[in-house]
Amino acid sequence: MTAREYLGKIPMWTKKKNTLADIRRILGMLGNPDRELSIIHVAGTNGKGSVCAYLTSALKEAGYTVGTFTSPHLSSIWERFLVNGTPVEEVLAERAFLQVKAAVEAMIGQGLNHPSFFEFLFLMAALLFSWQKVDFWVMETGLGGRLDATNVVEKPLVCVITSISLEHTQYLGHTIEEIAWEKAGIIKKQVPVVYDGNCKMAAEVIRDRARVMEAEAYGVVRADFSVAWADDPYQGLIIREKGKAETIAIPFPALYQADNGVLAWKTLQVLMEANEVQPECRALLRRGMERMTWPGRMEEIRPGVYLDGAHNPGGVHAFVESAKRLSAKRRFVVFGAVGDKDYREMIAYLCQGLRPDLALIAHIQSDRDVKTDALEECFAQEGCPAKCFSGSGEAMTYVLSQKEEDDLVFCLGSLYLIGEIRGYFEGTWITTRRKND
């Protein structure tokens, strides 16, 4: 059985979760590779992947070797392990897989549980980035923070917490404060934390946790920055910190990316002040921010066709605020969702804020997908015309046949949908999806 096949059979959730002590024991069997690495730990609800991508691009441009562990993947599972923005070679990933599998089998023999899908990948990442001798490991949490497998790391250089909204309420809590408390669980003793301070309820929880942990806290709020469109509003944004001449360019027209960009820039400033990153690299870091690419995040994959990974109400709300600023004769939305997301509220935001001329509802190849007729009913309740399709390929073929030059097409609702659509355009059509992925 290949690594891909084995990993594909591991459930996303296990009946009994491993504790962080269990994960540390397995890491110990692997030689504690994470202890050799300089780690930037990123948690939050929306924007984690984008912040990781900004940090990766900036540090790479400054001459550092950067390992990035992020999820989910869009096309290939190896996208979760990046070195300088490029997936690791499959032969190296297979080698890491075999070492982790051997350690796991030994631990099972001692009465521990098999790791979940995410836990197994995290263990592989620690090995891979240790072998690659990366200068920095940019590490994104999976679910939450406090009990997440990544929180086994003991002394990161800095912790980052992106914007927080309601998600996974069955696991993380039913209020912003409860979810913020879980996310703030990544804050370590005397380790600086950079956080999105725009939500007062979440910010207060994060600051309180930072005080308990004697951690310097750097809140980033929109009032501290001005944001302007580039000369061509489809090309990106120009960000300027209040009272300073220096600007940061980001290559996306989405306003929510300004929040992610300034979080990443503040994190880089904290690292420079601590001499973890050489201050003379400042111009290179800015250039790296400008050159960042992140598939599936307000990505214009074809003229007038945008892919966005918004997959919860907070993400969709932020997406709508940006998308409605782009002028269009007609707006089409290609949408699909999984059942553990509040798709009703997502659709309400879309219809009320963007007012699409037609929603194309695509069946996602996942056991967790929401049936297309249920989504169609939600769009109908919002007064938005909708049409169902058996797959994302069929939906894209139809919408492209209808699209005229001045029309825009927005694809969102699930990262799994975005992965399928990228496969459609790249000719690598996804025909199967890992069970429960």
Side-chain angles (χ1 to χ4, degrees):
M1 183 183 299
T2 67
R4 289 176 185 265
E5 292 169 339
Y6 185 98
L7 292 168
K9 293 180 181 297
I10 302 175
M12 180 178 288
W13 316 109
T14 52
K15 291 182 178 179
K16 186 176 180 182
K17 182 178 174 62
N18 286 303
T19 66
L20 295 183
D22 296 334
I23 300 299
R24 173 50 62 191
R25 286 176 65 184
I26 302 176
L27 282 169
M29 294 187 67
L30 297 170
N32 291 312
D34 60 302
R35 290 176 175 166
E36 305 170 7
L37 301 170
S38 297
I39 295 171
I40 303 170
H41 199 184
V42 182
T45 303
N46 292 303
K48 298 190 299 293
S50 293
V51 169
C52 289
Y54 281 120
L55 292 170
T56 298
S57 183
L59 291 167
K60 173 191 171 186
E61 188 73 21
Y64 296 101
T65 301
V66 188
T68 311
F69 177 59
T70 188
S71 63
H73 61 275
L74 296 180
S75 301
S76 167
I77 193 172
W78 308 136
E79 294 169 16
R80 297 176 183 238
F81 315 108
L82 306 175
V83 176
N84 285 346
T86 302
V88 298
E89 295 180 4
E90 185 155 2
V91 63
L92 198 63
E94 291 266 5
R95 178 183 159 205
F97 162 78
L98 290 173
Q99 288 205 21
V100 172
K101 183 171 178 286
V104 165
E105 289 172 348
M107 296 306 290
I108 290 174
Q110 298 175 26
L112 289 185
N113 304 298
H114 192 289
S116 68
F117 177 69
F118 182 83
E119 290 167 349
F120 201 107
L121 295 179
F122 166 69
L123 295 166
M124 287 178 59
L127 273 181
L128 285 165
F129 297 144
S130 172
W131 294 343
Q132 294 291 294
K133 300 186 184 302
V134 299
D135 298 306
F136 296 97
W137 177 3
V138 179
M139 182 175 66
E140 179 185 346
T141 61
L143 176 64
R146 181 176 64 92
L147 299 177
D148 189 75
T150 61
N151 206 28
V152 74
V153 300
E154 296 151 332
K155 192 73 173 179
L157 296 178
V158 60
C159 298
V160 186
I161 302 177
T162 67
S163 67
I164 291 174
S165 59
L166 295 177
E167 67 157 358
H168 298 297
T169 53
Q170 67 270 45
Y171 303 107
L172 302 180
H174 291 84
T175 68
I176 292 293
E177 291 90 343
E178 289 174 339
I179 293 174
W181 186 78
E182 290 290 343
K183 308 288 187 183
I186 70 166
I187 301 174
K188 302 296 188 298
K189 188 81 168 180
Q190 297 180 344
V191 172
V193 56
V194 179
Y195 66 94
D196 184 304
N198 291 299
C199 174
K200 292 182 179 179
M201 294 178 292
E204 185 175 351
V205 173
I206 294 168
R207 285 194 298 268
D208 286 346
R209 181 60 181 171
R211 279 194 290 268
V212 170
M213 301 304 291
E214 300 175 14
E216 192 74 31
Y218 301 88
V220 177
V221 296
R222 296 186 189 105
D224 293 338
F225 295 84
S226 64
V227 180
W229 296 93
D231 292 339
D232 180 348
Y234 288 83
Q235 295 303 311
L237 302 169
I238 305 296
I239 302 168
R240 184 190 305 273
E241 190 172 359
K242 295 288 179 66
K244 295 187 179 180
E246 183 179 57
T247 61
I248 309 163
I250 59 174
F252 298 95
L255 289 172
Y256 67 81
Q257 284 291 5
D259 292 337
N260 299 328
V262 295
L263 268 180
W265 184 246
K266 185 62 179 180
T267 302
L268 293 168
Q269 289 179 319
V270 169
L271 291 172
M272 284 188 282
E273 289 167 4
N275 287 316
E276 298 291 349
V277 173
Q278 295 303 310
E280 56 265 30
C281 293
R282 192 179 190 93
L284 293 173
L285 294 169
R286 289 173 56 214
R287 189 167 71 186
M289 294 275 292
E290 182 177 355
R291 293 180 174 180
M292 188 273 263
T293 59
W294 192 227
R297 277 68 171 185
M298 207 61 176
E299 173 191 12
E300 190 175 15
I301 195 166
R302 292 292 186 275
V305 180
Y306 288 87
L307 309 185
D308 193 273
H311 58 278
N312 56 40
V316 170
H317 185 269
F319 159 80
V320 166
E321 290 304 303
S322 298
K324 69 184 183 182
R325 292 173 177 263
L326 302 180
S327 60
K329 180 180 178 181
R330 294 182 298 174
R331 293 184 176 93
F332 297 96
V333 167
V334 180
F335 188 86
V338 293
D340 59 353
K341 305 294 182 182
D342 189 349
Y343 58 88
R344 294 179 181 84
E345 189 171 354
M346 293 160 63
I347 290 171
Y349 277 139
L350 267 178
C351 295
Q352 295 166 18
L354 196 60
R355 298 187 181 278
D357 294 274
L358 178 65
L360 298 94
I361 303 169
H363 167 69
I364 301 174
Q365 297 180 43
S366 168
D367 290 348
R368 297 162 56 212
D369 74 299
V370 182
K371 302 306 178 187
T372 55
D373 55 353
L375 296 176
E376 183 181 27
E377 181 179 349
C378 292
F379 277 101
Q381 290 172 353
E382 297 295 334
C384 177
K387 188 176 179 66
C388 295
F389 294 86
S390 60
S392 51
E394 290 83 354
M396 291 307 303
T397 298
Y398 179 82
V399 75
L400 293 177
S401 73
Q402 301 297 306
K403 181 185 180 301
E404 298 175 359
E405 184 177 358
D406 294 330
D407 298 334
L408 293 179
V409 178
F410 299 106
C411 310
L412 71 157
S414 167
L415 282 169
Y416 303 132
L417 172 71
I418 300 307
E420 291 180 11
I421 293 174
R422 283 186 62 83
Y424 171 87
F425 282 111
E426 295 170 359
T428 55
W429 182 240
I430 299 174
T431 56
T432 59
R433 172 73 65 184
R434 184 178 63 83
K435 185 177 177 65
N436 293 326
D437 194 4

